[in-house]
């Protein structure tokens, strides 16, 4: 939606969208790099992820400033106001995603000298990551295209990621029980898995924001939840 | 606590549902020009209702129907029905002068009489025979100036000419003059368009206070003003009432595309 009488307003909104898209691209890259660093035990890549994070943070600040200025200058109404509030919220979620990826990268550095318990666990984590990445990509596309149906698909599908996280937790418990020497690494992996699962939550937040931007009210009704790790800390079998 | 909140909500709902002015299928023609087309609206009591829309959309025309100001234009023809508290204001037996005492009006440009501050406010009550003696009149004048938030600023110069006040003070003097005759409805036609932001803020604050006792209808070109002061907003376009509803809804999630385009500044 464009063609304001004041062309400069269109430019402001366009700039905001562009910055959010740029942030989204950076966040996606941070996620895949951080997990790659974990899989390949690549400390250099991990350090690169950590070094990228300030760029994302700076973009978020820029979006906040631009939004505040646009609100003060244009006093936007209705759909325009929601555009700006939407950009602010999405930027917030992307910044958090960046932080979570940075945290994974830090854990890669912390576990550089640890024994690697199982490729299978790492593969589970990798699989979860690719799922989160595809969700994030889909929801960022939905944001860019203002595609409500696509955003709702993401919103409804978070339970799959949650379920994977729960099953990974169970597996990690088994390894820890088998050999206490695995504990340090497994705890780190557990946090990594939880971080990835949180990224998925941020993707659903973005889906909610897209809904709000288009419809003007929050999504009502419960979201499917598959994450039971908060309550189910003991292994199911063991 | 919840029960208390509920009670409050019910009271608010009850107050909001009390309709003061009812208009049904109002049409206005100026000669051949069909200026207002089939407007029907309920205006709630003790609330501020804002009319917005581009120039020439009919909002001022409709406002002027509510106290029959269009009667003064020879080529204007009004059809349809407007009732205040169930009484048809276009009834032939109705005294228009009395009606205009019940439905006061404040205009775009402050238009005090070329008389003293005191006389400006005293004029209405005097010609309507509302004050028996000087003491009564003083009470009405001072009370009205106080309610218009002007008394403190003019108490030492009640006998100075009203035209000597600042623009914002003159406009509040006009509001004091309007409320001196004890109206039920106050119509305001862009009351702040000639005022600076501080004077505007004072008038807006005043509207918020006055709505406790009056039904206020305001025509404004400032959407931000409509959003700030009103509880309900009606959007007019090309003589048609396009959309009407709670102000927060009109400015956040308007239902009609024309409303959305107008409030977001997309009108070609």
């Amino acid at each position: 939606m464009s063609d304001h009488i004041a062309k400069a307003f269109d430019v402001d909104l366009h700039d905001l969208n562009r910055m959010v898209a740029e942030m989204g691209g950076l966040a996606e890259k941070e996620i895949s790099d951080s997990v790659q660093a974990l899989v390949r035990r690549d400390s250099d890549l991990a350090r690169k992820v950590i070094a990228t994070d300030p760029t994302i943070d700076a973009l978020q600040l820029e979006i906040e400033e631009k939004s505040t200025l646009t609100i003060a200058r244009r006093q936007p109404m209705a759909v325009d106001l929601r555009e700006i509030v939407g950009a602010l919220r999405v930027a917030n979620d992307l910044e958090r995603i960046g932080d979570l990826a940075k945290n994974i990268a830090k854990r890669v550095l912390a576990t550089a000298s640890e024994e690697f318990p199982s490729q299978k666990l790492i593969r589970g984590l990798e699989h979860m990551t690719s799922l989160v990445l595809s969700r994030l990509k889909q929801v960022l596309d939905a944001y860019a295209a203002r595609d409500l149906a696509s955003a709702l698909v993401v919103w409804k599908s978070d339970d799959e990621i949650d379920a994977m996280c729960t099953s990974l937790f169970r597996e990690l418990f088994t390894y820890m029980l088998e050999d206490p020497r695995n504990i340090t690494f497994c705890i780190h992996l557990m946090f990594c898995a939880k971080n990835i699962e949180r990224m998925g939550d941020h993707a659903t937040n973005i889906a909610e924001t897209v809904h709000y931007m288009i419809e003007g009210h929050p999504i009502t009704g419960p979201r499917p939840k598959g994450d039971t790790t908060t309550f189910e800390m003991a292994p199911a079998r063991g | 606590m919840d029960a208390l909140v509920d009670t409050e909500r019910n009271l608010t709902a009850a107050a909001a549902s009390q309709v003061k002015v009812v208009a049904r299928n109002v049409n206005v023609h100026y000669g051949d020009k069909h200026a207002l087309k089939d407007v029907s609206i309920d205006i709630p009591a003790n609330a501020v209702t804002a009319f917005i829309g581009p120039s020439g959309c009919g909002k001022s025309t409709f406002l002027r129907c509510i106290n029959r100001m269009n009667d003064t234009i020879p080529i204007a023809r009004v059809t349809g029905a407007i009732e205040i508290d169930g009484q048809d204001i276009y009834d032939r037996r109705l005294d228009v002068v009395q009606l205009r005492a019940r439905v006061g009006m404040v205009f775009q440009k402050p238009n005090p009489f070329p008389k003293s501050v005191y006389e400006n406010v005293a004029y209405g009550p005097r010609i309507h025979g509302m004050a028996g003696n000087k003491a009564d009149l003083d009470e009405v004048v001072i009370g009205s100036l106080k309610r218009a938030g002007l008394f403190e600023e003019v108490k030492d110069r009640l006998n100075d000419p009203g035209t000597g006040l600042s623009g914002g003070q003159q406009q509040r003097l006009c509001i004091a003059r309007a409320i001196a005759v004890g109206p039920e409805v106050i119509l305001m036609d862009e009351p702040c368009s000639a005022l600076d932001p501080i004077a505007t803020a004072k008038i807006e604050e005043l509207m918020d206070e006055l709505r406790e006792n009056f039904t206020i209808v305001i025509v404004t070109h400032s959407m931000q003003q409509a959003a700030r002061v009103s509880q309900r907003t009606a959007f007019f376009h090309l003589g048609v009432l396009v959309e009407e509803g709670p102000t927060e809804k009109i400015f956040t999630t308007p239902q009609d595309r024309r409303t959305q385009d107008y409030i977001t500044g997309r009108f070609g």
Side-chain angles (χ1 to χ4, degrees), chain B residues 1-17 248:
Chain B
M1 185 63 198
D2 276 354
L4 198 69
V5 173
D6 276 351
T7 313
E8 259 178 36
R9 203 172 291 145
N10 289 342
L11 285 176
T12 318
S17 64
E248 65 270 21

Side-chain angles (χ1 to χ4, degrees), chain A residues 24-38:
Chain A
L26 284 171
E28 285 178 85
K29 179 108 177 56
E30 257 197 87
I31 298 174
S32 67
D33 281 356
S34 66
V35 176
Q36 273 309 302
L38 182 68

